[in-house]
Amino acid sequence: MAVIIDGKAVSDRIKSEIALENKKLMDDIGVMPGLAVIIVGNDSASKIYVSNKIKACEKVGFYSEKIQLSEKISQKELVARIEELNNRVDIDGILVQLPLPKHISEKVVLGKIDPRKDVDCFSPFNVGRITINDYRFLPCTPAGVMELLKETGVELAGKNCVVIGRSNIVGKPMAMMLINESATVTVCHSKTVNLPEITSKADILISAVGKPKFVTADMVKDGAIVIDVGINHDENGKLCGDVDFNAVEPKAGYITPVPGGVGPMTIAMLMKNTIMAAKANAILNVKSAGKTKAAKSKSDK
Ligand code: BQF
């Protein structure tokens, strides 16, 4: 019998804390964090994710702007829209909902987001900073996983962690963040040989694969912490993760459900990154206003 980690409850708690922090920010220095969410095309899953993000902004009291663009938009036009947002003082966070249409390079587009506004933490500069354990932002999904691990109270140093999946968005940064906490980390993927042998030695097993019932009971060590990052649909169209929950739950020590596990935490961490960006940008904006004033008084003389 596993303890079920309630990601929805943890995310609600974090969002309440952010709402309080936000009120204080507005009362103290009159700053309201602003998030711009760009969505290109009409992918139905992306629409749900974007609406979750806009709703969360309303809940914590941020300004938000949904920017719906045609799937026919050129890469050049999209980059121009990002540059516009980079230059706006009322926008602290910019995110481009992925995936993008095939004719647009995600690498080019993500590279154009001002690193100070990169609340998804996908730009090369911010990704590099995770690697050297000197970062401002963390990518939302792995950061959410770290919060859920913290919730168990289990010490991470020295633990055997296995991450299944090597994406730039989840697997790779997840591995870096666990290494930064002194865990021993193995990253598995589609070419891994004898996956069950590796996963069954994991104290902490994190699956980010994208296939229903991919993680079966034989792959899990007794008492392990099992974190399910997958967001899939089962044969009946119901939301499910990568883990065969009913089979694995009796064997695990802790387990996250889908829905209501990592998913809501992703959104909560986006709010955390956005308020952090707003605080840093507020200082910058004051500084640059000061410079403008200084330049003006100089030119007045
Ligand atoms: C829940 C995402 C794959 C590819 C791109 C709550 C979300 C999901 C589930 C959500 C995800 C997944 C998001 C639940 C954002 C997480 O209750 O279980 C929230 O909105 N997510 C995304 O923006 O892009 C993705 C998964």
Side-chain angles (χ1 to χ4, degrees):
M1 271 288 280
V3 174
I4 294 168
I5 309 172
D6 188 345
K8 174 77 169 63
V10 178
S11 87
D12 283 343
R13 191 185 72 215
I14 291 172
K15 281 187 285 183
S16 314
E17 287 164 10
I18 292 171
L20 279 177
E21 194 182 336
N22 187 52
K23 191 180 175 304
K24 191 163 158 34
L25 189 62
M26 295 212 281
D27 291 347
D28 290 355
I29 58 171
V31 163
M32 185 191 240
L35 176 68
V37 183
I38 298 178
I39 175 167
V40 182
N42 284 302
D43 180 70
S44 57
S46 291
K47 279 184 172 172
I48 294 170
Y49 300 147
V50 167
S51 107
N52 288 344
K53 292 168 190 184
I54 300 290
K55 268 188 240 154
C57 284
E58 284 163 9
K59 182 116 185 275
V60 300
F62 296 170
Y63 171 73
S64 69
E65 201 166 298
K66 180 177 120 180
I67 300 164
Q68 171 74 60
L69 301 173
S70 157
E71 69 188 352
K72 293 196 186 75
I73 192 170
S74 70
Q75 181 172 300
K76 207 171 154 190
E77 280 174 89
L78 177 55
V79 167
R81 296 301 294 263
I82 290 170
E83 280 166 349
E84 235 172 75
L85 295 166
N86 282 342
N87 291 326
R88 273 174 60 180
V89 289
D90 60 329
I91 294 296
D92 300 291
I94 302 167
L95 83 78
V96 178
Q97 187 64 38
L98 302 180
L100 289 171
K102 286 193 177 53
H103 67 278
I104 299 176
S105 157
E106 288 181 357
K107 193 172 92 177
V108 168
V109 167
L110 297 178
K112 293 293 177 186
I113 297 172
D114 182 334
R116 287 177 291 231
K117 301 192 178 188
D118 174 29
V119 287
D120 261 343
C121 195
F122 292 164
S123 78
F125 176 77
N126 287 324
V127 172
R129 292 188 68 158
I130 309 166
T131 306
I132 58 170
N133 202 8
D134 171 30
Y135 49 79
R136 264 171 297 174
F137 298 122
L138 287 171
C140 302
T141 299
V145 172
M146 294 305 280
E147 287 291 328
L148 293 181
L149 290 175
K150 207 195 279 173
E151 208 54 31
T152 67
V154 170
E155 166 79 39
L156 295 178
K159 287 291 182 315
N160 209 350
C161 297
V162 174
V163 179
I164 318 176
R166 55 172 154 176
S167 72
N168 292 333
I169 294 171
V170 183
K172 277 190 238 174
M174 187 78 251
M176 288 303 168
M177 288 156 69
L178 291 164
I179 292 168
N180 288 340
E181 293 302 319
S182 303
T184 301
V185 182
T186 306
V187 181
C188 300
H189 47 76
S190 52
K191 297 289 189 307
T192 295
V193 176
N194 210 347
L195 181 68
E197 186 179 87
I198 299 168
T199 59
S200 55
K201 293 196 174 70
D203 304 308
I204 298 169
L205 179 60
I206 298 167
S207 181
V209 172
K211 287 183 187 153
K213 298 201 170 140
F214 185 84
V215 176
T216 48
D218 60 298
M219 295 167 70
V220 176
K221 179 170 150 178
D222 266 317
I225 301 177
V226 179
I227 306 285
D228 192 347
V229 182
I231 303 280
N232 314 302
H233 294 274
D234 69 10
E235 61 276 12
N236 306 315
K238 238 181 73 190
L239 207 61
C240 70
D242 294 342
V243 177
D244 185 350
F245 187 89
N246 291 334
V248 170
E249 184 273 327
K251 212 174 170 190
Y254 295 86
I255 191 166
T256 62
V258 177
V262 175
M265 292 301 294
T266 298
I267 308 295
M269 293 300 104
L270 175 64
M271 299 301 109
K272 191 175 158 188
N273 282 347
T274 304
I275 197 165
M276 217 160 41
K279 284 181 176 177
N281 291 339
I283 295 167
L284 267 174
N285 291 339
V286 168
K287 278 191 186 157
S288 67
K291 269 185 207 144
T292 318
K293 254 189 209 162
K296 190 175 182 305
S297 66
K298 219 173 170 186
S299 68
D300 286 346
K301 277 180 192 163

